[in-house]
Amino acid sequence: MSKIKSKKVSIIMGSQSDFKTMIFCKKVLKSLNIKFETKIISAHRTPERMYQFAKNAEKNDIAVIIAGAGGSAHLPGMISALTSLPVLGVPIESKKLRGLDSLLSIAQMPKGIPVGTLAIGKDGAINAALLAASIIGNIDSKVKKNLKQFRLTQTRSVKKKPK
Amino acid sequence: MSKIKSKKVSIIMGSQSDFKTMIFCKKVLKSLNIKFETKIISAHRTPERMYQFAKNAEKNDIAVIIAGAGGSAHLPGMISALTSLPVLGVPIESKKLRGLDSLLSIAQMPKGIPVGTLAIGKDGAINAALLAASIIGNIDSKVKKNLKQFRLTQTRSVKKKPK
Amino acid sequence: MSKIKSKKVSIIMGSQSDFKTMIFCKKVLKSLNIKFETKIISAHRTPERMYQFAKNAEKNDIAVIIAGAGGSAHLPGMISALTSLPVLGVPIESKKLRGLDSLLSIAQMPKGIPVGTLAIGKDGAINAALLAASIIGNIDSKVKKNLKQFRLTQTRSVKKKPK
Amino acid sequence: MSKIKSKKVSIIMGSQSDFKTMIFCKKVLKSLNIKFETKIISAHRTPERMYQFAKNAEKNDIAVIIAGAGGSAHLPGMISALTSLPVLGVPIESKKLRGLDSLLSIAQMPKGIPVGTLAIGKDGAINAALLAASIIGNIDSKVKKNLKQFRLTQTRSVKKKPK
Amino acid sequence: MSKIKSKKVSIIMGSQSDFKTMIFCKKVLKSLNIKFETKIISAHRTPERMYQFAKNAEKNDIAVIIAGAGGSAHLPGMISALTSLPVLGVPIESKKLRGLDSLLSIAQMPKGIPVGTLAIGKDGAINAALLAASIIGNIDSKVKKNLKQFRLTQTRSVKKKPK
Amino acid sequence: MSKIKSKKVSIIMGSQSDFKTMIFCKKVLKSLNIKFETKIISAHRTPERMYQFAKNAEKNDIAVIIAGAGGSAHLPGMISALTSLPVLGVPIESKKLRGLDSLLSIAQMPKGIPVGTLAIGKDGAINAALLAASIIGNIDSKVKKNLKQFRLTQTRSVKKKPK
Amino acid sequence: MSKIKSKKVSIIMGSQSDFKTMIFCKKVLKSLNIKFETKIISAHRTPERMYQFAKNAEKNDIAVIIAGAGGSAHLPGMISALTSLPVLGVPIESKKLRGLDSLLSIAQMPKGIPVGTLAIGKDGAINAALLAASIIGNIDSKVKKNLKQFRLTQTRSVKKKPK
Amino acid sequence: MSKIKSKKVSIIMGSQSDFKTMIFCKKVLKSLNIKFETKIISAHRTPERMYQFAKNAEKNDIAVIIAGAGGSAHLPGMISALTSLPVLGVPIESKKLRGLDSLLSIAQMPKGIPVGTLAIGKDGAINAALLAASIIGNIDSKVKKNLKQFRLTQTRSVKKKPK
């Protein structure tokens, strides 16, 4: 099982503009010292690239896939349809319906093909990284330690009184 | 252009249970004497089948694809991503959110990959067939005639007074 | 069938202000070398003009009608009620409910009168043009070629990595 | 002004099935001794009939038009577009979205073409009749008296304690 | 019935800030030469004033009451509970839910107490004035003439082509 | 302060049919040995009764008012407008929109006139009684003791494992 | 019961940023001369602090707890789970869904654990203070007097006419 | 790492009635030969039990926690606040709002405390089990093999044609 520690998180998104949100995912993974990659993969505009990516994810040492998408957000669900790795979905805020469409498109998956959905936007991107960390933490005690430290720091950072 | 008249409409859906809705699509096409096929293709459970279907649709003499799907309804959008044929989407009523999730997942496609979305449920299934008929009617005068007759009969069937 | 190639797409909208959205529809049709016209036709403020337009659309060599409307968006549905040509609807973003009202007013048509509905706003306007292109592409091989090239260029424009 | 008392309320609806709701409108008008007619007029399936009805409404001694419609409910708005008589709209409960689509399609009219919208379903049908009564009551003192009696009876019928 | 022509429309609203919306109501009434008054009456902060206003509305020569309110918008419904004059409601856009709460609070009245609800915001304010004009036009031929002229001008102002 | 212990909770509702929900409120108050009364008071059909009730509530030894209402649910807000006693609102499930309209009509009160809103339906009715108990418990130690016992019993009733 | 007058209102919130909303709660309590404290307590980031706070609230002379929270707003409900004091919840406007998620998360509590929910945002914060005042006013006649004066001033501040 | 294979999935839910949904989660885990436990833990009615459970989860050899909850669904988020193990949330369908409230309460978590949210109801319960399986499959090759077999069987079970 030593190979496990060399596994990485793959952060994918449908377009460059989604990176304004997904960059927060990357930052958290970095701060927790978790290996990751970032890719643009559009379910709609690059379906072949998506197929290739998903089909090869396991052999490419990916442990968790985090997919951000907005509107008719098909990327997370389609990736999950093409691999049995854990897939987490981040609903990107859409321009018109503020991400409610993205959330429903990602969360309301039919039985058989799971996507772990996080909150709309930046908060969801951060939490996808933390959930990936907790998944990896199950087997990588260093990541678990880093995650616990992150959480502790977070707790301590909460002031007692507003001002 | 003689081949055009031999083209067909392909009605696809994610599962057997969607046929309770999509059967109305089939009935209308039949009544208009339009060639069609019906297939179960799940974006989530049979992504490879979907890929093969969409990639070969054009050479299989398909003129219009009608895809019914519910919840995180990815089938119409993914088919459109894989072909440049016209794709119409029918939001199947979902058990919990009554098809609002299906409607948003199908309608809110990003620029570049179009899906012509119809109403949720049976009415949408019927209208998908009628829209396909109007598309085919552009080039097949018999279908156009049948469609006009259908519409005329429909208009005439409206009673003057409720009782 | 030679006349088919001379047919055009008619882009109609309820008011000048809708053109901020519908201009994207026009741009795509232009880039694909598809004949088109643009008109302001308000279901509510110019119902007679709407009747005249719809009743004469077929003899005026229109192959597809694209109608943009917001709020209680009646234009696409009423046009479809008055012609058996294919009608596509673009929900314009409304000031208060961000186009959710427009989307429901256009998509939830009763059985018998179909409207192929696209996404709210600019993305929907672009996709209406692309869906019209795929419809015309069924019979006009040049348009089909242009559409395939458009899609290919689109796919190729997707960067591999975000930055 | 003697002609005013001979004016009637026209209750129109898109289909026979809407009469399950609109019958309550008729019952209230009857109980208030207000002249009325009931007609089936579908904006979508009988647009010409709608046009004729609206254009002749004024000369046919109609004082108020009450239009019931569901889903993409275009009837009230289109009637208002075709006449300057007061138009009241009753959103019929739709099968999937429970009348939320009907309500938005009727209420969210653009400036220039008013529809006075009532509640979804039976309560709205009853209230459309009462609002019509209050409009007619402005000029017909018998109707005003009947309406006041109706309201008084209604108030008196409210029990003091639940059981 | 000669007194009828001396009747007026009363425009009431819950607060000064609602006047940003309701001023459009006043402008239309003015342009149609209809007598009106404007008042601030808050169902919540001045319930006594509301009771007095509604109870005396009829004897104060009011023909139609237009009430604008936002959020838990109780003003139109409460006025209707206190008078049998026709009451029209304008949902003011709320800061958080953009007027969806206002619309539902005004439109979803129980049977027995009608409010004719217009669209959210400025468009609704304008249409409330036009609906009031059509009500008054039933008995005041000058107002009817002005209203028809307004509608005609409106129709003529719609350009043929967008630019 | 001895008078405080003689104070009661007043449960009011718009109609007999609301009692199917509000009876659960009564049952909890009874089980906690809190004095209460139940009344039908409709903001819309009996506005004068509402006015009298609210104006006299304080001198009638009422400590907390619980008002249940559905749809355009004006009762809780209007009661709060007419008294400075604490008012709790229970959104009754509406037939069409399942209580979402009731919830927004009660919760979205403007600044100045507070209503403490509970959940839609039976759960809200129960919780209104418990919140009233906690309010009275602040000054009546027996009620506080009963409430704590209720909560303890509730906690103990939760089984460890599902079956 | 003399201790009652020394009791205070505790205003708690999940983060510093919520204070932009909750400060209005504080201002109203101050103006009514009611004792209060303000604390940052996050259900999610400081669950231990939350447990300690809630468990000791009663002995710390707290009469009412006002909790502001946004998004998956768990703070008010969890506080209510841990104490039998009255808990009021203020839904903070969330960045994406404008507080609709906050409102539902706070209002839709299951039976057994009540939270009195106010409006989304600033209006809700103000009203939480006023509802707390009415609760305390039940036993503290000075607070009741101040509250009545506040309400009277509020009523008097409403202008008669908009301008 | 041998200890990993002895780790289990803990399925928790707020009440016995939630087991109608969560039993599907249990069934899938069983069919995949994954160790699990089922517990009733209510965030609201048994907060202490929740606290104890979450604090001891790691030392009790739990690898993934699946929490089902409805309405103001606080259980998944609070568990995540109390442990750094991966937490998956299943929105139980609520009686009034059909699970939309449950979905928003679970999905819209603030940054820092992640919950991987699945679909509303039975489909979500099944998918939570499958997502847990994919997480465990990362380190337990037997579970991975079982999961792949499950997915393969699922794909093969999809019929080619509806009937």
Side-chain angles (χ1 to χ4, degrees), chain E residues 13-20 40 45, chain G residues 159 161-163:
Chain E
M13 64 210 82
S15 68
Q16 172 63 39
S17 69
D18 295 344
F19 197 50
K20 279 198 295 281
I40 297 181
R45 290 174 299 140
Chain G
K159 291 283 189 322
K161 274 184 68 67
K163 52 189 170 181

Side-chain angles (χ1 to χ4, degrees), chain G residues 29-42:
Chain G
L29 291 177
K30 211 166 187 175
S31 79
L32 294 171
N33 231 358
I34 294 172
K35 280 175 63 177
F36 66 89
E37 61 179 19
T38 57
K39 285 179 187 292
I40 296 180
I41 293 175
S42 165

Side-chain angles (χ1 to χ4, degrees), chain C residues 7-71:
Chain C
K7 286 193 175 174
K8 63 179 176 268
V9 174
S10 187
I11 307 172
I12 63 177
M13 64 209 80
S15 68
Q16 172 64 38
S17 69
D18 295 343
F19 196 50
K20 279 199 294 280
T21 301
M22 300 308 289
I23 197 171
F24 294 101
C25 191
K26 170 182 159 176
K27 282 181 178 173
V28 173
L29 290 177
K30 211 167 185 174
S31 80
L32 294 171
N33 230 0
I34 293 172
K35 278 174 64 178
F36 67 88
E37 62 179 19
T38 57
K39 284 178 189 294
I40 296 181
I41 293 174
S42 166
H44 297 124
R45 289 176 298 142
T46 65
E48 317 270 0
R49 193 189 291 178
M50 176 178 75
Y51 268 73
Q52 294 309 313
F53 168 79
K55 281 306 181 192
N56 295 311
E58 210 171 321
K59 77 171 80 115
N60 282 336
D61 282 331
I62 292 171
V64 179
I65 299 168
I66 296 174

Side-chain angles (χ1 to χ4, degrees), chain D residues 80-84 112-113, chain E residues 147-155:
Chain D
S80 185
L82 291 160
T83 178
S84 56
I113 308 295
Chain E
L147 176 59
K148 285 188 173 178
Q149 189 56 47
F150 179 99
R151 292 280 296 262
L152 200 61
T153 307
Q154 179 174 261
T155 296

Side-chain angles (χ1 to χ4, degrees), chain H residues 65-136:
Chain H
I65 299 169
I66 297 174
S72 283
H74 296 176
L75 185 62
M78 285 311 302
I79 292 290
S80 184
L82 291 161
T83 178
S84 57
L85 288 173
V87 177
L88 308 181
V90 178
I92 303 286
E93 185 182 355
S94 51
K95 267 169 269 160
K96 309 303 175 203
L97 301 182
R98 313 204 70 154
L100 185 64
D101 45 1
S102 324
L103 174 60
L104 294 177
S105 293
I106 296 177
Q108 287 293 81
M109 288 293 290
K111 66 178 176 194
I113 308 295
V115 173
T117 308
L118 288 303
I120 302 166
K122 178 184 165 182
D123 286 2
I126 290 170
N127 281 350
L130 291 172
L131 183 51
S134 73
I135 291 170
I136 291 172

